[in-house]
Amino acid sequence: MTIKRSTIRKVEDILRDYPKLDKYIEQREAELRYPTSQQDDNVGGGKSNYRDPDTLTRILITIDEDKRLNSLKHQRDVIDDLLDESGPDTLTIIKELYFKKYPQFTLRGLVEQNLINVSRSTAYDLRNRFVSDCAKGLGLFDI
């Protein structure tokens, strides 16, 4: 089976964002917990001391049902699971190509510098299998 090039690029972009996913999740939760309030243009009306007792409940429901937050968590969980199941060579490939801000090596360079103990074609297969598994796990797999 082959994957569309656009799907591969989307998965690669998600993989490059993986090291920042926890920060994105934290920021989104903060946005939901502390929403920016609208400025009150009702001048001179006074303020009510009434506090809605279900505010915390509403915040928890909002956090639980937020699509963006759930999508970020799902991405993190899928990639975490795949990394846990991967061998040391696949981990080295993925970390070097996608997780580093400034990668030092290409896939070919990893093989030539003996940083992974597989042939060049096997290295490409490992990378492609990981990206393909990510696409399946994220529900992006389309032929």
Side-chain angles (χ1 to χ4, degrees), residues 70-105:
N70 287 332
S71 174
L72 291 170
K73 287 181 178 179
H74 179 64
Q75 289 174 9
R76 181 188 60 192
D77 293 343
V78 167
I79 296 170
D80 281 346
D81 291 344
L82 288 172
L83 290 172
D84 289 342
E85 297 169 2
S86 298
D89 291 329
T90 304
L91 286 174
T92 302
I93 292 168
I94 299 305
K95 286 179 181 177
E96 179 64 33
L97 297 181
Y98 302 113
F99 296 170
K100 284 188 174 181
K101 188 172 184 177
Y102 302 107
Q104 293 178 316
F105 300 101

PDB file of all heavy atoms in Angstrom, residues 70-105:
ATOM      1  N   ASN A  70      -8.271  17.448  22.566  1.00  0.00           N
ATOM      2  CA  ASN A  70      -8.326  15.993  22.400  1.00  0.00           C
ATOM      3  C   ASN A  70      -7.489  15.538  21.212  1.00  0.00           C
ATOM      4  O   ASN A  70      -6.860  14.478  21.266  1.00  0.00           O
ATOM      5  CB  ASN A  70      -9.767  15.529  22.252  1.00  0.00           C
ATOM      6  CG  ASN A  70     -10.512  15.612  23.569  1.00  0.00           C
ATOM      7  OD1 ASN A  70      -9.923  15.508  24.629  1.00  0.00           O
ATOM      8  ND2 ASN A  70     -11.812  15.817  23.500  1.00  0.00           N
ATOM      9  N   SER A  71      -7.450  16.340  20.158  1.00  0.00           N
ATOM     10  CA  SER A  71      -6.627  16.008  18.997  1.00  0.00           C
ATOM     11  C   SER A  71      -5.144  16.021  19.352  1.00  0.00           C
ATOM     12  O   SER A  71      -4.394  15.115  18.962  1.00  0.00           O
ATOM     13  CB  SER A  71      -6.911  17.003  17.873  1.00  0.00           C
ATOM     14  OG  SER A  71      -6.040  16.791  16.803  1.00  0.00           O
ATOM     15  N   LEU A  72      -4.719  17.029  20.107  1.00  0.00           N
ATOM     16  CA  LEU A  72      -3.314  17.104  20.527  1.00  0.00           C
ATOM     17  C   LEU A  72      -2.943  15.915  21.416  1.00  0.00           C
ATOM     18  O   LEU A  72      -1.873  15.313  21.249  1.00  0.00           O
ATOM     19  CB  LEU A  72      -3.049  18.409  21.272  1.00  0.00           C
ATOM     20  CG  LEU A  72      -3.105  19.692  20.446  1.00  0.00           C
ATOM     21  CD1 LEU A  72      -3.066  20.916  21.363  1.00  0.00           C
ATOM     22  CD2 LEU A  72      -1.979  19.736  19.438  1.00  0.00           C
ATOM     23  N   LYS A  73      -3.829  15.565  22.338  1.00  0.00           N
ATOM     24  CA  LYS A  73      -3.563  14.421  23.222  1.00  0.00           C
ATOM     25  C   LYS A  73      -3.513  13.121  22.434  1.00  0.00           C
ATOM     26  O   LYS A  73      -2.680  12.252  22.707  1.00  0.00           O
ATOM     27  CB  LYS A  73      -4.625  14.345  24.317  1.00  0.00           C
ATOM     28  CG  LYS A  73      -4.475  15.415  25.376  1.00  0.00           C
ATOM     29  CD  LYS A  73      -5.544  15.283  26.445  1.00  0.00           C
ATOM     30  CE  LYS A  73      -5.374  16.319  27.535  1.00  0.00           C
ATOM     31  NZ  LYS A  73      -6.413  16.211  28.576  1.00  0.00           N
ATOM     32  N   HIS A  74      -4.406  12.990  21.458  1.00  0.00           N
ATOM     33  CA  HIS A  74      -4.424  11.776  20.635  1.00  0.00           C
ATOM     34  C   HIS A  74      -3.124  11.655  19.841  1.00  0.00           C
ATOM     35  O   HIS A  74      -2.538  10.566  19.771  1.00  0.00           O
ATOM     36  CB  HIS A  74      -5.634  11.803  19.701  1.00  0.00           C
ATOM     37  CG  HIS A  74      -5.723  10.615  18.797  1.00  0.00           C
ATOM     38  ND1 HIS A  74      -5.907   9.337  19.270  1.00  0.00           N
ATOM     39  CD2 HIS A  74      -5.631  10.511  17.450  1.00  0.00           C
ATOM     40  CE1 HIS A  74      -5.932   8.491  18.250  1.00  0.00           C
ATOM     41  NE2 HIS A  74      -5.756   9.186  17.136  1.00  0.00           N
ATOM     42  N   GLN A  75      -2.656  12.771  19.257  1.00  0.00           N
ATOM     43  CA  GLN A  75      -1.389  12.755  18.525  1.00  0.00           C
ATOM     44  C   GLN A  75      -0.252  12.306  19.432  1.00  0.00           C
ATOM     45  O   GLN A  75       0.561  11.459  19.056  1.00  0.00           O
ATOM     46  CB  GLN A  75      -1.073  14.141  17.965  1.00  0.00           C
ATOM     47  CG  GLN A  75      -1.940  14.572  16.819  1.00  0.00           C
ATOM     48  CD  GLN A  75      -1.678  15.997  16.401  1.00  0.00           C
ATOM     49  OE1 GLN A  75      -0.732  16.640  16.853  1.00  0.00           O
ATOM     50  NE2 GLN A  75      -2.519  16.517  15.522  1.00  0.00           N
ATOM     51  N   ARG A  76      -0.198  12.882  20.629  1.00  0.00           N
ATOM     52  CA  ARG A  76       0.869  12.528  21.571  1.00  0.00           C
ATOM     53  C   ARG A  76       0.804  11.042  21.929  1.00  0.00           C
ATOM     54  O   ARG A  76       1.829  10.350  21.934  1.00  0.00           O
ATOM     55  CB  ARG A  76       0.753  13.379  22.839  1.00  0.00           C
ATOM     56  CG  ARG A  76       1.841  13.078  23.869  1.00  0.00           C
ATOM     57  CD  ARG A  76       1.614  13.772  25.166  1.00  0.00           C
ATOM     58  NE  ARG A  76       0.327  13.345  25.717  1.00  0.00           N
ATOM     59  CZ  ARG A  76      -0.287  13.925  26.728  1.00  0.00           C
ATOM     60  NH1 ARG A  76       0.243  14.974  27.304  1.00  0.00           N
ATOM     61  NH2 ARG A  76      -1.436  13.479  27.178  1.00  0.00           N
ATOM     62  N   ASP A  77      -0.391  10.535  22.204  1.00  0.00           N
ATOM     63  CA  ASP A  77      -0.543   9.141  22.600  1.00  0.00           C
ATOM     64  C   ASP A  77      -0.154   8.177  21.480  1.00  0.00           C
ATOM     65  O   ASP A  77       0.518   7.175  21.724  1.00  0.00           O
ATOM     66  CB  ASP A  77      -1.978   8.865  23.048  1.00  0.00           C
ATOM     67  CG  ASP A  77      -2.339   9.600  24.338  1.00  0.00           C
ATOM     68  OD1 ASP A  77      -1.423  10.059  25.045  1.00  0.00           O
ATOM     69  OD2 ASP A  77      -3.553   9.714  24.626  1.00  0.00           O
ATOM     70  N   VAL A  78      -0.564   8.479  20.255  1.00  0.00           N
ATOM     71  CA  VAL A  78      -0.229   7.610  19.116  1.00  0.00           C
ATOM     72  C   VAL A  78       1.278   7.559  18.915  1.00  0.00           C
ATOM     73  O   VAL A  78       1.867   6.480  18.776  1.00  0.00           O
ATOM     74  CB  VAL A  78      -0.941   8.104  17.828  1.00  0.00           C
ATOM     75  CG1 VAL A  78      -0.369   7.430  16.591  1.00  0.00           C
ATOM     76  CG2 VAL A  78      -2.437   7.858  17.918  1.00  0.00           C
ATOM     77  N   ILE A  79       1.918   8.719  18.932  1.00  0.00           N
ATOM     78  CA  ILE A  79       3.372   8.761  18.713  1.00  0.00           C
ATOM     79  C   ILE A  79       4.108   8.103  19.875  1.00  0.00           C
ATOM     80  O   ILE A  79       5.062   7.346  19.665  1.00  0.00           O
ATOM     81  CB  ILE A  79       3.850  10.201  18.477  1.00  0.00           C
ATOM     82  CG1 ILE A  79       3.231  10.740  17.181  1.00  0.00           C
ATOM     83  CG2 ILE A  79       5.375  10.269  18.403  1.00  0.00           C
ATOM     84  CD1 ILE A  79       3.437  12.219  16.952  1.00  0.00           C
ATOM     85  N   ASP A  80       3.660   8.337  21.112  1.00  0.00           N
ATOM     86  CA  ASP A  80       4.272   7.681  22.274  1.00  0.00           C
ATOM     87  C   ASP A  80       4.214   6.168  22.133  1.00  0.00           C
ATOM     88  O   ASP A  80       5.208   5.472  22.369  1.00  0.00           O
ATOM     89  CB  ASP A  80       3.568   8.082  23.568  1.00  0.00           C
ATOM     90  CG  ASP A  80       3.976   9.453  24.085  1.00  0.00           C
ATOM     91  OD1 ASP A  80       5.001   9.992  23.607  1.00  0.00           O
ATOM     92  OD2 ASP A  80       3.260   9.983  24.955  1.00  0.00           O
ATOM     93  N   ASP A  81       3.052   5.647  21.758  1.00  0.00           N
ATOM     94  CA  ASP A  81       2.893   4.193  21.611  1.00  0.00           C
ATOM     95  C   ASP A  81       3.815   3.639  20.526  1.00  0.00           C
ATOM     96  O   ASP A  81       4.451   2.594  20.717  1.00  0.00           O
ATOM     97  CB  ASP A  81       1.441   3.837  21.292  1.00  0.00           C
ATOM     98  CG  ASP A  81       0.501   4.074  22.468  1.00  0.00           C
ATOM     99  OD1 ASP A  81       0.996   4.228  23.616  1.00  0.00           O
ATOM    100  OD2 ASP A  81      -0.728   4.105  22.253  1.00  0.00           O
ATOM    101  N   LEU A  82       3.884   4.335  19.406  1.00  0.00           N
ATOM    102  CA  LEU A  82       4.749   3.864  18.321  1.00  0.00           C
ATOM    103  C   LEU A  82       6.226   3.924  18.702  1.00  0.00           C
ATOM    104  O   LEU A  82       6.999   3.042  18.337  1.00  0.00           O
ATOM    105  CB  LEU A  82       4.494   4.675  17.049  1.00  0.00           C
ATOM    106  CG  LEU A  82       3.171   4.387  16.362  1.00  0.00           C
ATOM    107  CD1 LEU A  82       2.931   5.371  15.231  1.00  0.00           C
ATOM    108  CD2 LEU A  82       3.137   2.961  15.839  1.00  0.00           C
ATOM    109  N   LEU A  83       6.615   4.963  19.427  1.00  0.00           N
ATOM    110  CA  LEU A  83       8.005   5.057  19.875  1.00  0.00           C
ATOM    111  C   LEU A  83       8.343   3.932  20.845  1.00  0.00           C
ATOM    112  O   LEU A  83       9.444   3.376  20.808  1.00  0.00           O
ATOM    113  CB  LEU A  83       8.277   6.417  20.517  1.00  0.00           C
ATOM    114  CG  LEU A  83       8.299   7.615  19.575  1.00  0.00           C
ATOM    115  CD1 LEU A  83       8.379   8.917  20.371  1.00  0.00           C
ATOM    116  CD2 LEU A  83       9.452   7.517  18.588  1.00  0.00           C
ATOM    117  N   ASP A  84       7.391   3.592  21.720  1.00  0.00           N
ATOM    118  CA  ASP A  84       7.613   2.501  22.675  1.00  0.00           C
ATOM    119  C   ASP A  84       7.792   1.157  21.969  1.00  0.00           C
ATOM    120  O   ASP A  84       8.522   0.296  22.444  1.00  0.00           O
ATOM    121  CB  ASP A  84       6.452   2.410  23.666  1.00  0.00           C
ATOM    122  CG  ASP A  84       6.433   3.567  24.653  1.00  0.00           C
ATOM    123  OD1 ASP A  84       7.469   4.251  24.802  1.00  0.00           O
ATOM    124  OD2 ASP A  84       5.373   3.793  25.279  1.00  0.00           O
ATOM    125  N   GLU A  85       7.113   0.989  20.840  1.00  0.00           N
ATOM    126  CA  GLU A  85       7.163  -0.276  20.111  1.00  0.00           C
ATOM    127  C   GLU A  85       8.337  -0.351  19.140  1.00  0.00           C
ATOM    128  O   GLU A  85       8.625  -1.412  18.600  1.00  0.00           O
ATOM    129  CB  GLU A  85       5.856  -0.473  19.328  1.00  0.00           C
ATOM    130  CG  GLU A  85       4.633  -0.591  20.203  1.00  0.00           C
ATOM    131  CD  GLU A  85       3.332  -0.509  19.408  1.00  0.00           C
ATOM    132  OE1 GLU A  85       3.399  -0.406  18.154  1.00  0.00           O
ATOM    133  OE2 GLU A  85       2.269  -0.533  20.033  1.00  0.00           O
ATOM    134  N   SER A  86       9.010   0.771  18.896  1.00  0.00           N
ATOM    135  CA  SER A  86      10.069   0.834  17.887  1.00  0.00           C
ATOM    136  C   SER A  86      11.399   0.329  18.437  1.00  0.00           C
ATOM    137  O   SER A  86      11.678   0.429  19.624  1.00  0.00           O
ATOM    138  CB  SER A  86      10.256   2.268  17.409  1.00  0.00           C
ATOM    139  OG  SER A  86       9.080   2.725  16.810  1.00  0.00           O
ATOM    140  N   GLY A  87      12.225  -0.143  17.514  1.00  0.00           N
ATOM    141  CA  GLY A  87      13.563  -0.584  17.873  1.00  0.00           C
ATOM    142  C   GLY A  87      14.511   0.599  17.966  1.00  0.00           C
ATOM    143  O   GLY A  87      14.174   1.728  17.602  1.00  0.00           O
ATOM    144  N   PRO A  88      15.738   0.349  18.429  1.00  0.00           N
ATOM    145  CA  PRO A  88      16.704   1.432  18.623  1.00  0.00           C
ATOM    146  C   PRO A  88      17.073   2.157  17.325  1.00  0.00           C
ATOM    147  O   PRO A  88      17.275   3.373  17.338  1.00  0.00           O
ATOM    148  CB  PRO A  88      17.921   0.742  19.237  1.00  0.00           C
ATOM    149  CG  PRO A  88      17.730  -0.710  19.001  1.00  0.00           C
ATOM    150  CD  PRO A  88      16.271  -0.943  18.838  1.00  0.00           C
ATOM    151  N   ASP A  89      17.153   1.437  16.210  1.00  0.00           N
ATOM    152  CA  ASP A  89      17.492   2.100  14.949  1.00  0.00           C
ATOM    153  C   ASP A  89      16.372   3.032  14.500  1.00  0.00           C
ATOM    154  O   ASP A  89      16.632   4.156  14.057  1.00  0.00           O
ATOM    155  CB  ASP A  89      17.792   1.061  13.856  1.00  0.00           C
ATOM    156  CG  ASP A  89      19.090   0.304  14.122  1.00  0.00           C
ATOM    157  OD1 ASP A  89      20.010   0.897  14.720  1.00  0.00           O
ATOM    158  OD2 ASP A  89      19.169  -0.881  13.743  1.00  0.00           O
ATOM    159  N   THR A  90      15.134   2.587  14.624  1.00  0.00           N
ATOM    160  CA  THR A  90      13.996   3.431  14.252  1.00  0.00           C
ATOM    161  C   THR A  90      13.946   4.658  15.147  1.00  0.00           C
ATOM    162  O   THR A  90      13.709   5.776  14.663  1.00  0.00           O
ATOM    163  CB  THR A  90      12.676   2.640  14.355  1.00  0.00           C
ATOM    164  OG1 THR A  90      12.762   1.460  13.544  1.00  0.00           O
ATOM    165  CG2 THR A  90      11.494   3.478  13.899  1.00  0.00           C
ATOM    166  N   LEU A  91      14.187   4.483  16.439  1.00  0.00           N
ATOM    167  CA  LEU A  91      14.197   5.622  17.363  1.00  0.00           C
ATOM    168  C   LEU A  91      15.255   6.646  16.966  1.00  0.00           C
ATOM    169  O   LEU A  91      14.995   7.848  16.961  1.00  0.00           O
ATOM    170  CB  LEU A  91      14.453   5.151  18.798  1.00  0.00           C
ATOM    171  CG  LEU A  91      13.308   4.454  19.514  1.00  0.00           C
ATOM    172  CD1 LEU A  91      13.765   3.924  20.865  1.00  0.00           C
ATOM    173  CD2 LEU A  91      12.148   5.405  19.693  1.00  0.00           C
ATOM    174  N   THR A  92      16.444   6.167  16.625  1.00  0.00           N
ATOM    175  CA  THR A  92      17.523   7.065  16.217  1.00  0.00           C
ATOM    176  C   THR A  92      17.123   7.835  14.965  1.00  0.00           C
ATOM    177  O   THR A  92      17.339   9.049  14.874  1.00  0.00           O
ATOM    178  CB  THR A  92      18.821   6.273  15.959  1.00  0.00           C
ATOM    179  OG1 THR A  92      19.172   5.556  17.144  1.00  0.00           O
ATOM    180  CG2 THR A  92      19.959   7.190  15.560  1.00  0.00           C
ATOM    181  N   ILE A  93      16.532   7.147  14.006  1.00  0.00           N
ATOM    182  CA  ILE A  93      16.105   7.784  12.760  1.00  0.00           C
ATOM    183  C   ILE A  93      15.070   8.871  13.033  1.00  0.00           C
ATOM    184  O   ILE A  93      15.208  10.007  12.576  1.00  0.00           O
ATOM    185  CB  ILE A  93      15.524   6.734  11.780  1.00  0.00           C
ATOM    186  CG1 ILE A  93      16.625   5.791  11.293  1.00  0.00           C
ATOM    187  CG2 ILE A  93      14.816   7.408  10.608  1.00  0.00           C
ATOM    188  CD1 ILE A  93      16.124   4.552  10.563  1.00  0.00           C
ATOM    189  N   ILE A  94      14.041   8.535  13.786  1.00  0.00           N
ATOM    190  CA  ILE A  94      12.943   9.473  14.039  1.00  0.00           C
ATOM    191  C   ILE A  94      13.430  10.666  14.857  1.00  0.00           C
ATOM    192  O   ILE A  94      13.098  11.814  14.551  1.00  0.00           O
ATOM    193  CB  ILE A  94      11.760   8.758  14.741  1.00  0.00           C
ATOM    194  CG1 ILE A  94      11.215   7.622  13.856  1.00  0.00           C
ATOM    195  CG2 ILE A  94      10.668   9.738  15.109  1.00  0.00           C
ATOM    196  CD1 ILE A  94      10.805   8.025  12.463  1.00  0.00           C
ATOM    197  N   LYS A  95      14.227  10.409  15.876  1.00  0.00           N
ATOM    198  CA  LYS A  95      14.738  11.509  16.705  1.00  0.00           C
ATOM    199  C   LYS A  95      15.607  12.455  15.884  1.00  0.00           C
ATOM    200  O   LYS A  95      15.513  13.670  16.028  1.00  0.00           O
ATOM    201  CB  LYS A  95      15.514  10.966  17.895  1.00  0.00           C
ATOM    202  CG  LYS A  95      14.630  10.376  18.966  1.00  0.00           C
ATOM    203  CD  LYS A  95      15.441   9.817  20.120  1.00  0.00           C
ATOM    204  CE  LYS A  95      14.532   9.210  21.173  1.00  0.00           C
ATOM    205  NZ  LYS A  95      15.306   8.598  22.274  1.00  0.00           N
ATOM    206  N   GLU A  96      16.467  11.910  15.046  1.00  0.00           N
ATOM    207  CA  GLU A  96      17.363  12.756  14.259  1.00  0.00           C
ATOM    208  C   GLU A  96      16.615  13.531  13.173  1.00  0.00           C
ATOM    209  O   GLU A  96      16.840  14.728  12.997  1.00  0.00           O
ATOM    210  CB  GLU A  96      18.474  11.911  13.611  1.00  0.00           C
ATOM    211  CG  GLU A  96      19.443  12.705  12.761  1.00  0.00           C
ATOM    212  CD  GLU A  96      20.253  13.729  13.546  1.00  0.00           C
ATOM    213  OE1 GLU A  96      20.572  13.489  14.725  1.00  0.00           O
ATOM    214  OE2 GLU A  96      20.583  14.791  12.969  1.00  0.00           O
ATOM    215  N   LEU A  97      15.727  12.868  12.468  1.00  0.00           N
ATOM    216  CA  LEU A  97      15.069  13.521  11.333  1.00  0.00           C
ATOM    217  C   LEU A  97      13.951  14.472  11.742  1.00  0.00           C
ATOM    218  O   LEU A  97      13.728  15.478  11.061  1.00  0.00           O
ATOM    219  CB  LEU A  97      14.497  12.467  10.376  1.00  0.00           C
ATOM    220  CG  LEU A  97      15.503  11.539   9.700  1.00  0.00           C
ATOM    221  CD1 LEU A  97      14.779  10.576   8.778  1.00  0.00           C
ATOM    222  CD2 LEU A  97      16.546  12.329   8.935  1.00  0.00           C
ATOM    223  N   TYR A  98      13.244  14.162  12.841  1.00  0.00           N
ATOM    224  CA  TYR A  98      12.038  14.924  13.148  1.00  0.00           C
ATOM    225  C   TYR A  98      12.046  15.663  14.488  1.00  0.00           C
ATOM    226  O   TYR A  98      11.417  16.702  14.610  1.00  0.00           O
ATOM    227  CB  TYR A  98      10.808  14.001  13.096  1.00  0.00           C
ATOM    228  CG  TYR A  98      10.653  13.330  11.763  1.00  0.00           C
ATOM    229  CD1 TYR A  98      10.800  11.957  11.635  1.00  0.00           C
ATOM    230  CD2 TYR A  98      10.387  14.070  10.616  1.00  0.00           C
ATOM    231  CE1 TYR A  98      10.668  11.341  10.409  1.00  0.00           C
ATOM    232  CE2 TYR A  98      10.254  13.467   9.384  1.00  0.00           C
ATOM    233  CZ  TYR A  98      10.393  12.099   9.285  1.00  0.00           C
ATOM    234  OH  TYR A  98      10.276  11.495   8.057  1.00  0.00           O
ATOM    235  N   PHE A  99      12.719  15.136  15.487  1.00  0.00           N
ATOM    236  CA  PHE A  99      12.621  15.731  16.820  1.00  0.00           C
ATOM    237  C   PHE A  99      13.675  16.796  17.083  1.00  0.00           C
ATOM    238  O   PHE A  99      13.488  17.638  17.942  1.00  0.00           O
ATOM    239  CB  PHE A  99      12.702  14.658  17.909  1.00  0.00           C
ATOM    240  CG  PHE A  99      11.548  13.680  17.885  1.00  0.00           C
ATOM    241  CD1 PHE A  99      11.589  12.548  18.671  1.00  0.00           C
ATOM    242  CD2 PHE A  99      10.434  13.878  17.098  1.00  0.00           C
ATOM    243  CE1 PHE A  99      10.536  11.636  18.679  1.00  0.00           C
ATOM    244  CE2 PHE A  99       9.383  12.979  17.091  1.00  0.00           C
ATOM    245  CZ  PHE A  99       9.443  11.853  17.880  1.00  0.00           C
ATOM    246  N   LYS A 100      14.786  16.754  16.378  1.00  0.00           N
ATOM    247  CA  LYS A 100      15.832  17.758  16.591  1.00  0.00           C
ATOM    248  C   LYS A 100      15.463  19.047  15.870  1.00  0.00           C
ATOM    249  O   LYS A 100      14.972  19.026  14.741  1.00  0.00           O
ATOM    250  CB  LYS A 100      17.176  17.257  16.072  1.00  0.00           C
ATOM    251  CG  LYS A 100      17.827  16.235  16.962  1.00  0.00           C
ATOM    252  CD  LYS A 100      19.226  15.963  16.470  1.00  0.00           C
ATOM    253  CE  LYS A 100      19.963  15.051  17.424  1.00  0.00           C
ATOM    254  NZ  LYS A 100      21.333  14.803  16.942  1.00  0.00           N
ATOM    255  N   LYS A 101      15.752  20.151  16.521  1.00  0.00           N
ATOM    256  CA  LYS A 101      15.478  21.449  15.902  1.00  0.00           C
ATOM    257  C   LYS A 101      16.377  21.648  14.678  1.00  0.00           C
ATOM    258  O   LYS A 101      15.934  22.150  13.647  1.00  0.00           O
ATOM    259  CB  LYS A 101      15.690  22.568  16.919  1.00  0.00           C
ATOM    260  CG  LYS A 101      15.245  23.915  16.429  1.00  0.00           C
ATOM    261  CD  LYS A 101      15.282  24.947  17.529  1.00  0.00           C
ATOM    262  CE  LYS A 101      14.741  26.274  17.042  1.00  0.00           C
ATOM    263  NZ  LYS A 101      14.706  27.269  18.113  1.00  0.00           N
ATOM    264  N   TYR A 102      17.641  21.267  14.803  1.00  0.00           N
ATOM    265  CA  TYR A 102      18.596  21.370  13.695  1.00  0.00           C
ATOM    266  C   TYR A 102      19.255  19.999  13.498  1.00  0.00           C
ATOM    267  O   TYR A 102      20.306  19.727  14.080  1.00  0.00           O
ATOM    268  CB  TYR A 102      19.661  22.427  13.990  1.00  0.00           C
ATOM    269  CG  TYR A 102      19.085  23.795  14.244  1.00  0.00           C
ATOM    270  CD1 TYR A 102      19.067  24.333  15.522  1.00  0.00           C
ATOM    271  CD2 TYR A 102      18.533  24.539  13.208  1.00  0.00           C
ATOM    272  CE1 TYR A 102      18.529  25.586  15.760  1.00  0.00           C
ATOM    273  CE2 TYR A 102      17.993  25.788  13.429  1.00  0.00           C
ATOM    274  CZ  TYR A 102      17.990  26.312  14.711  1.00  0.00           C
ATOM    275  OH  TYR A 102      17.455  27.541  14.942  1.00  0.00           O
ATOM    276  N   PRO A 103      18.663  19.142  12.674  1.00  0.00           N
ATOM    277  CA  PRO A 103      19.247  17.802  12.466  1.00  0.00           C
ATOM    278  C   PRO A 103      20.647  17.899  11.859  1.00  0.00           C
ATOM    279  O   PRO A 103      20.903  18.746  11.003  1.00  0.00           O
ATOM    280  CB  PRO A 103      18.282  17.141  11.478  1.00  0.00           C
ATOM    281  CG  PRO A 103      17.052  17.964  11.483  1.00  0.00           C
ATOM    282  CD  PRO A 103      17.434  19.335  11.914  1.00  0.00           C
ATOM    283  N   GLN A 104      21.533  17.039  12.340  1.00  0.00           N
ATOM    284  CA  GLN A 104      22.903  17.022  11.825  1.00  0.00           C
ATOM    285  C   GLN A 104      23.046  16.078  10.644  1.00  0.00           C
ATOM    286  O   GLN A 104      23.932  16.249   9.822  1.00  0.00           O
ATOM    287  CB  GLN A 104      23.867  16.576  12.924  1.00  0.00           C
ATOM    288  CG  GLN A 104      24.000  17.555  14.059  1.00  0.00           C
ATOM    289  CD  GLN A 104      24.939  17.019  15.130  1.00  0.00           C
ATOM    290  OE1 GLN A 104      24.858  15.847  15.494  1.00  0.00           O
ATOM    291  NE2 GLN A 104      25.818  17.871  15.616  1.00  0.00           N
ATOM    292  N   PHE A 105      22.198  15.056  10.583  1.00  0.00           N
ATOM    293  CA  PHE A 105      22.346  14.014   9.572  1.00  0.00           C
ATOM    294  C   PHE A 105      21.054  13.804   8.798  1.00  0.00           C
ATOM    295  O   PHE A 105      19.967  14.002   9.320  1.00  0.00           O
ATOM    296  CB  PHE A 105      22.730  12.670  10.226  1.00  0.00           C
ATOM    297  CG  PHE A 105      24.020  12.709  10.979  1.00  0.00           C
ATOM    298  CD1 PHE A 105      24.025  12.807  12.360  1.00  0.00           C
ATOM    299  CD2 PHE A 105      25.230  12.650  10.313  1.00  0.00           C
ATOM    300  CE1 PHE A 105      25.208  12.847  13.070  1.00  0.00           C
ATOM    301  CE2 PHE A 105      26.427  12.687  11.016  1.00  0.00           C
ATOM    302  CZ  PHE A 105      26.416  12.781  12.396  1.00  0.00           C
TER     303      PHE A 105
END
